[in-house]
Amino acid sequence: MRLIGRNGAEAKPAATTEADTEAWAESPERQPGALPAQRTSGLAERRPAGGWGPDSLVHVPAGGLAAALGPRGAPADAPAVAGVEGDTGFDSASFETALAAREQAALESRHRRAADDGDPDAAARLGTLLLRRGDLEDAEPYLRAAAAAGLRAAANNLGVLLHQRGHRAEAAQWWRQAAVAGSAPAAHALGLQLRDQGEEEAAEYWLHFAADHGHPLGAYALGDLMEHRRDVRAERWFKVSADAGHREAAYRLARMREAAGDKETAEAWYRIAAARSHARAALRLGVLLEDRAGGEQSLLDEAARWYRQSAQNGELRAACALGYLLRDGGDLVAAAEWWQEAAEAGDGNAANALGALHASRGEAARAEHWYRSALEAGDQNGAFNLGLLCAGAGRAQQAEQWYRRAAYAGHREACNALAVVLLQRGDESGAEPWFSKAAEAGSVDGAFNLGVLHAGRGEHRQAQEWYARAAAEGHGEAALQLAVVQEQRGNAAGALERYRQAAAGGSVEGAFRLASVLDRRGDADAEAEHWYALAADAGHRRAQVRMGVRAAERGAPEIAESWYRRAAEAGSRSAAFNLGLLLARQDREAEAMLWYTRAADAGHGRAALRLALLALRRGEPVLAEGWCRRAADYGPAEVAERAGRLLGALHAELSA
């Protein structure tokens, strides 16, 4: 609210007669005596006001007045206080402070003499000056005298004083009197008090009055009230207030635009509020910039600057976000410093990040310390992460206890992890409700696992429902299960769509199967190659074999050999056989034999048949017979048939 320094009935514009002292309305702590506060932690910005308002005065502590001038009310021409003996320096700041104090004391003295002589205007000015100084007892009689004489500024300021002293009902009476006389600050104050009393209709009337008369905080409070009612007009009044310089209004307007999907406008308003040192606006601006950076370093650097400003203004989440940004940029040392600063101040997310950093370095004790700190800060991720830490260390019982603690606190991934532990222990009935709780809370893995549980029971309809739910959230393996069913039903188009979804969701098997479908179609060779390569790079052995085959077909034996070796060394018998064929064509028979043998020992029928033929070529019929028998056992059918004919010929030769 504003303290008003002159009678509003005079013929000057309101902007020059009512001084801006909105700081009286800012009371986030709502201490006794504070005026009704806005529903925000943002502070109102002051605008300079001309005329006879207290903002036109220089404010110094009462102790400063006494030290500089002696007794209150000293004449304007009183001599300056002498300096300390031996001090020959000249302090211009001290001189200006003393001069300002003398001027203020002289002004107070003149107002007091005039007020004591019955001048209501002087009484209003003196009461305002004393009120601003915190001398409520001395100010009250002067403000009462001026308000009784009909000065609306005095009535408003008397309302401020009475509210500060806890006399809220009487304060409202004086504010109403001033508001009826046209005082926008009084209307704002009255509207806030009525709102806090639950009289929202009356509050809206007076806040509307204040806003219509150009009062920025009135416009903000009106927007706040309307947003609480889900009234679309709230945005208009936030904009009015923001245009007048109210940073919290700019922030609230930005949040509304962001929620509506208009990120460009939201970013502009966040920028305005952040430029006025609004910590949460700087945080949100950093988030938007980081989201649209797409790797562009200039935007990432700007996001970091806003995160840093927000963090320096006390926003712990910004310190944590800055840590993640620095980590992603490779600066783990700086990231850890910001996380530690936020964690030590009580930010659980930062403590978890710091714990994860130590865990990745194998520093289990330090990781546990920070996970426990996160838990103490109320972040249940700490309990879940402690469970993961214990599970990784083989402490299964402790892991289950931490999972259970986090799960009972509603941590969805802990619900899923606990269900997995129970299922691995054979407790399916105990696992199912935790899977259900995880899935219903939005855990994608929980939904997928619930699908697996139903599929294992033969409850395919329920399984498909949960797979579909998980796939809709990007779970690749769930999409793969749906794709397989579509392919089994002969729905090629549906299967292809689901395979694409599976591959995009990170399913390596999904990428391989998608490539196989495209390969069979024959009209998307480049795309098939892309998905084969992606799956092969991820370690999919069949995809590695396919990459080898394609390279060999293109006449690139070195590339083919590389893919075959990767797959064969990982245990692929087909890759081992193909590698043997490739080496044999290069006259590397001895090495080829080693890979044929590895493939045959793993059950590859063609490799066993090839070894039988090579043994016959070397004149080793007994060895050839052994490989023939194995080839006949391994198959497939055409290999078994050829092995049988060869075996018959061997018998005839051996019995001749």
Side-chain angles (χ1 to χ4, degrees), residues 363-585:
E363 300 166 355
R366 296 297 298 159
E368 183 171 344
H369 166 77
W370 288 112
Y371 288 151
R372 287 182 181 274
S373 295
L375 189 57
E376 289 169 4
D379 190 331
Q380 293 302 323
N381 281 306
F384 175 61
N385 287 333
L386 283 166
L388 294 176
L389 193 67
C390 291
R395 292 145 55 190
Q397 186 175 359
Q398 288 177 285
E400 181 179 339
Q401 291 172 353
W402 286 117
Y403 288 150
R404 194 176 294 277
R405 175 170 175 174
Y408 274 113
H411 193 290
R412 64 189 187 187
E413 298 308 328
C415 293
N416 179 66
L418 176 59
V420 169
V421 169
L422 295 172
L423 190 61
Q424 290 173 341
R425 204 162 63 208
D427 186 2
E428 182 177 316
S429 61
E432 184 174 0
W434 287 114
F435 277 139
S436 296
K437 187 173 182 179
E440 293 295 349
S443 169
V444 181
D445 286 337
F448 173 72
N449 288 335
L450 201 53
V452 172
L453 195 66
H454 284 293
R457 296 172 179 168
E459 300 166 353
H460 299 297
R461 182 182 61 79
Q462 294 94 324
Q464 293 294 299
E465 289 176 357
W466 286 110
Y467 286 149
R469 185 164 172 174
E473 297 297 324
H475 197 289
E477 298 305 322
L480 173 63
Q481 296 301 320
L482 295 171
V484 170
V485 170
Q486 292 298 320
E487 191 169 20
Q488 290 172 346
R489 292 174 178 173
N491 183 0
L496 185 62
E497 181 182 354
R498 286 296 189 182
Y499 280 137
R500 287 189 189 281
Q501 189 178 9
S507 169
V508 177
E509 180 67 21
F512 171 73
R513 290 187 178 231
L514 173 59
S516 299
V517 171
L518 295 170
D519 203 2
R520 290 196 298 270
R521 278 179 26 177
D523 59 354
D525 189 67
E527 188 182 0
E529 179 95 6
H530 165 76
W531 291 113
Y532 276 139
L534 188 146
D537 284 335
H540 194 286
R541 291 182 298 181
R542 293 170 65 195
Q544 290 169 344
V545 173
R546 289 303 306 163
M547 290 295 291
V549 170
R550 292 168 75 88
E553 290 172 348
R554 290 198 304 268
E558 292 182 357
I559 296 175
E561 181 179 342
S562 173
W563 283 117
Y564 287 150
R565 281 190 184 278
R566 284 182 62 179
E569 288 170 354
S572 170
R573 62 189 187 185
S574 295
F577 175 67
N578 287 356
L579 180 57
L581 291 176
L582 187 67
L583 294 170
R585 293 191 193 105

Side-chain angles (χ1 to χ4, degrees), residues 265-286:
T265 304
E267 182 179 322
W269 284 110
Y270 281 138
R271 196 176 293 277
I272 289 171
R276 296 170 183 158
S277 299
H278 193 291
R280 285 170 295 154
L283 169 61
R284 289 304 308 164
L285 178 57

Side-chain angles (χ1 to χ4, degrees), residues 4-52:
I4 304 174
R6 285 180 65 88
N7 184 357
E10 295 186 13
K12 288 189 177 182
T16 64
T17 61
E18 299 184 21
D20 183 358
T21 59
E22 293 295 352
W24 291 103
E26 296 158 11
S27 179
E29 294 83 7
R30 300 302 300 272
Q31 296 174 352
L35 293 184
Q38 304 287 2
R39 294 174 187 165
T40 171
S41 61
L43 301 180
E45 288 74 22
R46 295 188 181 179
R47 296 180 299 158
W52 292 96

